[in-house]
Amino acid sequence: MSSSSAADFSVLAPYGWDETWAKEFAPYAAYGLLAGRVVRVDRGQCDIVTAGGTLRADTAFVTPHDPLRVVCTGDWVAVEPGGNPRYVRAYLPRRTAFVRSTSSKRSEGQILAANVDHAIVAVSLAVELDLGRIERFLALAWESGAQPVVVLTKADLVPDPVTLAHLVQDVETTAPGVPVLTVSAMDGDGLDVLVCLVGSGTSVLLGQSGAGKSTLANALVGEDVMDVRAARDVDGKGRHTTTTRNLLALPGGGVLIDTPGLRGVGLFDAETGVGQVFSEIEQLAADCRFSDCGHESEPGCAVLRAVDTGELPVRRLESYRKLMRENQWIVAKTDARLRSEIKKDWKKRGAEGKAAMEAKRGRWH
């Protein structure tokens, strides 16, 4: 290994640089470009940590018209060693990417963070739990390729251990296969477990405004690096204290990306993620009479049978249906053939449901 390569490793290793990234970057190194990780993006400019220090560069050179191919926080990039302005020339292939649907009518995806190992969904215990929103975050997290973790923040506001245990159980039921932690950044309870979890790889903090993400980030970093503002008592929401996605190296190892509070959590081609969130429904569906069962009114539906017996909560099935329909519609907006098939399927299911109801009325009379 050359002295310059050794310098790259010593400086960039705390940010996640490894042998695999070095191999990916080798062709760019041959052209004299610098390796670095994007720690912040702001209006077409980004801050990049390199072996020689943090640089400011323009991102316009990297396919700016495709929202999923723009440079984002967490990317490993090849940047020019000099120039005014200095340009990012390319980003290395992403291992994972956290993408949501934008609010635009064009149904575009927006990439929030790249190369993330853990997706930490912060949920405030200062307000009533919104299980449906947690499911949305988890669907996007699973789809990204990262391992989700739910962190219930402000646990000090729930002093009764029995009540806290019930809240944790509700979330665990909503998040099969996902660790659920309770944390109080104010008094430090639960932080040691979270520090161990994020101590390797890259973690991204997600959640609504007022969820306590910035306070949590400060606690993990060990200093006040993020601005913190009080949340409203009425609904637990606050103003966006974080306005950009910032990548921070943690003192105990690992990297943290803090994100602005997300008001909208739209799915973007996340069918696999939705299936992972509702894994118990997917398992039940394997026993349905029909392989294309929609779990609406079909005979021999194992999912509906589980609802009837109380094995599956009605809320879970309704949430599953809602997210699957939403995801189908988002995908269909960019696929005319699929859109036509979905409309035909909806009409078919509607007719089947109507026929089933008429058959029941006939039996009743």
Side-chain angles (χ1 to χ4, degrees):
M1 182 184 295
S2 67
S3 58
S4 60
S5 297
D8 286 348
F9 267 93
S10 63
V11 175
L12 297 180
Y15 291 88
W17 186 255
D18 57 28
E19 290 282 358
T20 303
W21 287 123
K23 290 178 182 178
E24 293 276 7
F25 185 75
Y28 301 102
Y31 286 97
L33 297 175
L34 300 177
R37 193 167 196 190
V38 178
V39 297
R40 185 173 180 270
V41 178
D42 182 24
R43 298 178 182 178
Q45 299 281 315
C46 65
D47 295 330
I48 305 166
V49 61
T50 71
T54 301
L55 308 176
R56 185 78 167 164
D58 195 303
T59 66
F61 186 84
V62 185
T63 48
H65 302 299
D66 184 341
L68 294 182
R69 296 181 65 189
V70 298
V71 173
C72 76
T73 303
D75 271 327
W76 285 101
V77 298
V79 61
E80 295 173 342
N84 187 20
R86 185 197 311 265
Y87 287 99
V88 173
R89 286 292 167 177
Y91 63 80
L92 302 186
R94 293 161 176 159
R95 294 177 181 175
T96 61
F98 194 96
V99 180
R100 70 165 175 174
S101 176
T102 66
S103 57
S104 72
K105 294 182 179 180
R106 291 178 293 180
S107 303
E108 295 177 336
Q110 178 191 20
I111 184 163
L112 301 179
N115 303 311
V116 172
D117 301 293
H118 300 102
I120 302 172
V121 180
V123 180
S124 173
L125 289 175
V127 293
E128 185 177 353
L129 290 176
D130 185 342
L131 299 179
R133 182 166 288 271
I134 293 174
E135 287 162 345
R136 282 179 171 274
F137 274 112
L138 291 176
L140 294 178
W142 280 122
E143 190 69 31
S144 75
Q147 166 66 51
V149 181
V150 176
V151 174
L152 303 178
T153 66
K154 308 181 183 181
D156 52 290
L157 299 180
V158 188
D160 178 28
V162 175
T163 301
L164 185 60
H166 282 308
L167 292 172
V168 171
Q169 185 177 28
D170 286 343
V171 177
E172 287 176 338
T173 302
T174 300
V178 176
V180 179
L181 310 178
T182 58
V183 169
S184 171
M186 300 301 292
D187 55 29
D189 284 351
L191 274 177
D192 53 343
V193 179
L194 185 57
V195 167
C196 289
L197 189 145
V198 302
S200 61
T202 298
S203 303
V204 62
L205 262 177
L206 306 161
Q208 289 183 284
S209 296
K213 297 189 307 301
S214 295
T215 302
L216 196 57
N218 288 338
L220 291 172
V221 175
E223 57 182 297
D224 291 341
V225 293
M226 307 304 297
D227 183 25
V228 177
R229 299 174 189 168
R232 298 193 297 251
D233 290 335
V234 64
D235 57 10
K237 295 180 181 178
R239 290 175 293 170
H240 293 310
T241 56
T242 303
T243 57
T244 59
R245 285 168 280 280
N246 301 278
L247 186 147
L248 310 164
L250 300 177
V255 174
L256 181 70
I257 299 176
D258 192 18
T259 66
L262 300 176
R263 290 191 180 94
V265 195
L267 303 183
F268 186 79
D269 197 5
E271 182 176 352
T272 301
V274 174
Q276 189 76 38
V277 174
F278 298 92
S279 57
E280 80 275 35
I281 295 179
E282 300 268 300
Q283 291 170 1
L284 287 167
D287 293 327
C288 289
R289 181 183 301 176
F290 303 110
S291 60
D292 62 345
C293 184
H295 321 308
E296 297 284 352
S297 59
E298 296 88 344
C301 176
V303 174
L304 294 179
R305 186 165 60 247
V307 171
D308 290 340
T309 61
E311 179 185 352
L312 178 68
V314 175
R315 191 206 68 79
R316 285 284 283 173
L317 179 57
E318 291 176 345
S319 184
Y320 172 76
R321 287 170 174 165
K322 180 179 180 180
L323 293 186
M324 289 297 282
R325 282 196 299 265
E326 177 183 326
N327 190 72
Q328 279 187 324
W329 189 245
I330 287 294
V331 174
K333 280 187 175 182
T334 58
D335 188 330
R337 181 186 59 79
L338 179 60
R339 183 164 61 247
S340 176
E341 289 179 356
I342 288 174
K343 286 183 177 180
K344 289 180 182 178
D345 186 56
W346 286 353
K347 287 182 180 179
K348 177 184 175 184
R349 294 190 190 285
E352 289 174 347
K354 183 178 180 181
M357 288 303 297
E358 289 176 350
K360 285 184 178 180
R361 290 194 190 100
R363 288 198 297 271
W364 293 336
H365 295 293

